[in-house]
Amino acid sequence: MTGCRSALVLCYTSGYHFWPISEPQTNTGTPLVLYVSLLQCKSSTVVVFFSDCSLLFSLFSEDDAKLGARRLARVLQKLGFKVRFSAFKVVNVLAVCSMPFGIQLVDFTIKNRPIASYEPELHPAATYRIKHIKATVQVFSTGSITVTGPNVQNVATAVEQIYPLLFECRKPKALCK
Amino acid sequence: MLLTPWRGKYHSVTNWQSQTQKALRMLQNDSSFCCCGDGLSLPRVQCPNHPDTILVEDYRAGDMICPECGLVVGDRVIDVGSEWRTFSNEKALKDPSRVGDAQNPLLNGGDLTTMISKGTGAASFDEFGNSKYQNRRTMSSSDRAMLNAFKEISTMADRINLPRNIIDRTNNLFKQVYEQKSLKGRANDAIASACLYIACRQEGVPRTFKEICAVSRISKKEIGRCFKLILKALETSVDLITTGDFMSRFCSNLGLPKQVQMAATFIARKAVELDLVPGRSPISVAAAAIYMASQASAEKKTQKEIGDIAGVADVTIRQSYRLIYPRAAELFPPDFKFDTPVDKLPQL
């Protein structure tokens, strides 16, 4: 991927739908966002960083991620950079999931003592780390959870594992406003 | 076999002192100790007849006595306490404690170094005016960082008037973390602040992160990070904070009477039970409860004042207040005397 500031500035002025993620004030410059269309109905938003990482949003599988990365490489190629699609690796997968019930975080934390941790002063979510599949689940009191893991399979397993624990600590409907 | 009239002799209360004189002479010839222990460990002094009893130490005579049979097992035991008594109200110019402070074995690992202080009188200076015996010998460097941290901890704790037991616990935590070396790259001050936070939590009197920030030079983010790292390194966990932990401190800082404090505690607890404030930090809920209780009583406090004491922004208090306002009537304790009735409470 591109590794220097001038390259990204060129991308920005190239006429493609690149735009900066925020005011360009940082020393290394700001990462750029690109809207990439994959197929007819699917599209993804890509954030390109100065290092050799880029983030792809709104995708549903690892194959889509690869396709999105290829599309990005094609765009850069058209701009004239020498791009070769070599080592593609999915590093981190972030998934968001919403439970149909609210969750009482205090009960949840007390029941799952050393694995779950909840610091209301630091972050409004309770963090549950599943060591053997290396996934982290963040549980919010509204019932939505975010799961991060190294691949999609781990994330799916994590959701399955955590669902019964969440179900025990759900908020009864009467209390929900 | 040399007969030793002292070693092995059963002591009686009356003639300890004279026996000691004899013993000292005898023992110069005799060097056999009643020691048992395997070859790998250091020889442990034990009574030969009762190897399992814990020996009683008679510090005046410097003896170790077996309480079961009265045998004097070890003698000439050196007392490592302070040599003389010193009183704080005595303005003595010289410090009578020649051996120094009592050892702090838990924390320092045996501080046996000698420090040379600045000399008085003419003889301590050589011809160039420099002091002859150059300052203090450096103590072991590993201890120095730890002692610096202990000093920092004690300064921080002093600013918020923390008692000695919390400071001791903090020191212990810091020592454990420091020896583990897993957080070696972090600033010692950050680790010290986080240890202070954990110690307060463990003692049941938690302080908010913002309160610890106020007495430390480290940012809240960094203290939070170190806090999580320390919990992972020491493999402990702490209890969750509740609204009641902070009530007495916040209310007394605001100067609110006991009735208002009890009412605020009740309101906050009820609000959490009825789950009117999901996802809100307990401190924001506590602040809103104090606001509601104070507005209903004769001592009305503004949101800004409460926000300053609790370290909460006044918009946050406003938001939490809006959540508990609709059911205010249920939240007050039944025996509360209203100065302003519930329907006249300010609506934000």
Side-chain angles (χ1 to χ4, degrees):
Chain A
M1 293 288 183
T2 56
C4 56
R5 188 183 184 155
S6 57
L8 273 166
V9 172
L10 188 63
C11 293
Y12 182 45
T13 56
S14 66
Y16 277 92
H17 281 255
F18 275 105
W19 63 92
I21 210 169
S22 61
E23 290 296 314
Q25 274 171 8
T26 59
N27 291 346
T28 53
T30 131
L32 288 186
V33 179
L34 169 68
Y35 185 70
V36 159
S37 84
L38 291 180
L39 298 170
Q40 267 164 340
C41 342
K42 287 196 238 181
S43 64
S44 163
T45 312
V46 181
V47 180
V48 183
F49 289 90
F50 282 95
S51 68
D52 48 355
C53 276
S54 65
L55 293 179
L56 292 116
F57 292 95
S58 332
L59 294 171
F60 289 95
S61 72
E62 282 153 344
D63 296 328
D64 284 348
K66 192 156 187 183
L67 198 57
R70 277 190 181 277
R71 290 266 171 172
L72 173 67
R74 182 79 189 120
V75 167
L76 293 172
Q77 212 171 39
K78 282 194 188 160
L79 289 173
F81 292 106
K82 266 203 198 155
V83 181
R84 204 180 58 211
F85 197 76
S86 55
F88 173 78
K89 184 169 178 288
V90 171
V91 174
N92 196 14
V93 172
L94 168 79
V96 175
C97 172
S98 183
M99 299 289 149
F101 42 80
I103 297 164
Q104 274 163 345
L105 291 182
V106 178
D107 286 340
F108 177 74
T109 321
I110 294 175
K111 285 208 177 103
N112 300 296
R113 220 329 129 76
I115 319 176
S117 92
Y118 176 42
E119 278 301 315
E121 287 185 79
L122 295 178
H123 191 51
T127 326
Y128 187 91
R129 279 179 212 277
I130 307 177
K131 254 198 186 150
H132 59 97
I133 47 176
K134 287 194 251 181
T136 308
V137 181
Q138 289 194 358
V139 183
F140 291 86
S141 61
T142 50
S144 53
I145 60 174
T146 76
V147 190
T148 58
N151 56 48
V152 180
Q153 188 55 39
N154 279 15
V155 166
T157 323
V159 175
E160 281 164 30
Q161 275 197 359
I162 200 145
Y163 184 79
L165 302 168
L166 295 176
F167 193 70
E168 282 177 8
C169 312
R170 70 190 183 287
K171 287 190 206 170
K173 279 289 177 182
L175 288 182
C176 276
K177 279 218 179 144
Chain B
M1 192 159 75
L2 194 67
L3 272 179
T4 57
W6 179 239
R7 177 58 52 75
K9 181 145 189 158
Y10 292 76
H11 88 277
S12 61
V13 179
T14 50
N15 46 8
W16 270 359
Q17 305 301 331
S18 55
Q19 299 284 10
T20 317
Q21 311 303 327
K22 260 195 238 173
L24 285 176
R25 280 196 297 272
M26 286 295 165
L27 275 167
Q28 281 167 10
N29 304 327
D30 167 46
S31 56
S32 67
F33 262 95
C34 286
C35 287
C36 329
D38 43 47
L40 295 172
S41 62
L42 293 171
R44 215 158 52 94
V45 181
Q46 284 175 346
C47 172
N49 303 325
H50 307 101
D52 290 327
T53 49
I54 298 171
L55 300 174
V56 169
E57 188 177 322
D58 177 23
Y59 60 89
R60 279 177 298 167
D63 295 337
M64 307 267 289
I65 303 164
C66 169
E68 303 273 324
C69 57
L71 183 68
V72 174
V73 184
D75 55 357
R76 291 193 289 175
V77 171
I78 298 176
D79 175 27
V80 296
S82 172
E83 199 181 21
W84 311 100
R85 296 184 298 172
T86 43
F87 298 100
S88 56
N89 54 2
E90 269 183 10
K91 299 279 186 275
L93 288 173
K94 48 184 167 55
D95 182 10
S97 164
R98 290 184 306 167
V99 287
D101 289 335
Q103 237 187 12
N104 199 346
L106 297 170
L107 300 182
N108 282 351
D111 185 15
L112 297 172
T113 57
T114 305
M115 295 198 285
I116 303 171
S117 60
K118 284 206 175 79
T120 55
S124 62
F125 294 96
D126 60 10
E127 54 262 16
F128 296 111
N130 301 324
S131 37
K132 224 186 242 181
Y133 296 104
Q134 285 301 323
N135 64 4
R136 32 196 67 188
R137 203 165 272 290
T138 51
M139 58 182 96
S140 59
S141 58
S142 67
D143 274 351
R144 200 182 320 144
M146 213 151 61
L147 279 178
N148 266 340
F150 291 160
K151 202 161 70 148
E152 186 65 35
I153 288 171
S154 145
T155 318
M156 284 197 293
D158 187 53
R159 288 186 190 132
I160 38 178
N161 300 322
L162 289 176
R164 188 74 227 168
N165 59 341
I166 294 185
I167 302 179
D168 286 339
R169 196 181 268 264
T170 312
N171 286 345
N172 272 320
L173 282 169
F174 186 87
K175 179 177 163 104
Q176 282 174 33
V177 168
Y178 191 74
E179 282 176 349
Q180 249 198 20
K181 295 193 196 304
S182 46
L183 275 89
K184 201 162 174 205
R186 301 268 170 191
N188 270 346
D189 284 347
I191 303 179
S193 312
C195 284
L196 190 64
Y197 178 81
I198 296 175
C200 292
R201 271 269 207 132
Q202 285 179 340
E203 290 283 324
V205 282
R207 301 292 193 265
T208 62
F209 274 109
K210 291 193 177 163
E211 287 176 313
I212 303 285
C213 257
V215 297
S216 160
R217 66 176 179 87
I218 311 288
S219 67
K220 177 173 179 251
K221 219 203 275 194
E222 186 60 29
I223 301 183
R225 272 194 220 133
C226 284
F227 165 73
K228 286 189 210 155
L229 287 172
I230 293 177
L231 286 186
K232 202 159 82 161
L234 299 180
E235 282 169 20
T236 41
S237 66
V238 287
D239 290 331
L240 291 176
I241 52 176
T242 56
T243 51
D245 296 331
F246 306 100
M247 279 303 174
S248 66
R249 214 170 339 119
F250 291 167
C251 290
S252 51
N253 283 345
L254 287 164
L256 294 171
K258 193 88 169 76
Q259 284 293 57
V260 180
Q261 176 185 322
M262 280 164 45
T265 317
F266 191 85
I267 293 173
R269 202 181 64 225
K270 222 39 200 311
V272 172
E273 273 172 29
L274 296 175
D275 199 37
L276 302 174
V277 281
R280 297 273 160 197
S281 164
I283 298 158
S284 325
V285 176
I290 294 177
Y291 180 68
M292 185 181 265
S294 73
Q295 289 293 323
S297 73
E299 308 257 339
K300 292 181 178 27
K301 298 284 171 191
T302 61
Q303 287 174 350
K304 189 165 179 321
E305 287 173 348
I306 301 178
D308 276 340
I309 298 281
V312 183
D314 50 346
V315 267
T316 314
I317 303 183
R318 216 173 297 157
Q319 279 176 347
S320 301
Y321 182 77
R322 281 194 201 124
L323 290 173
I324 59 176
Y325 180 75
R327 296 174 72 167
E330 301 167 37
L331 295 176
F332 276 98
D335 51 352
F336 184 69
K337 290 191 186 45
F338 285 91
D339 191 79
T340 315
V342 183
D343 42 351
K344 296 250 179 35
L345 280 175
Q347 191 175 18
L348 300 163

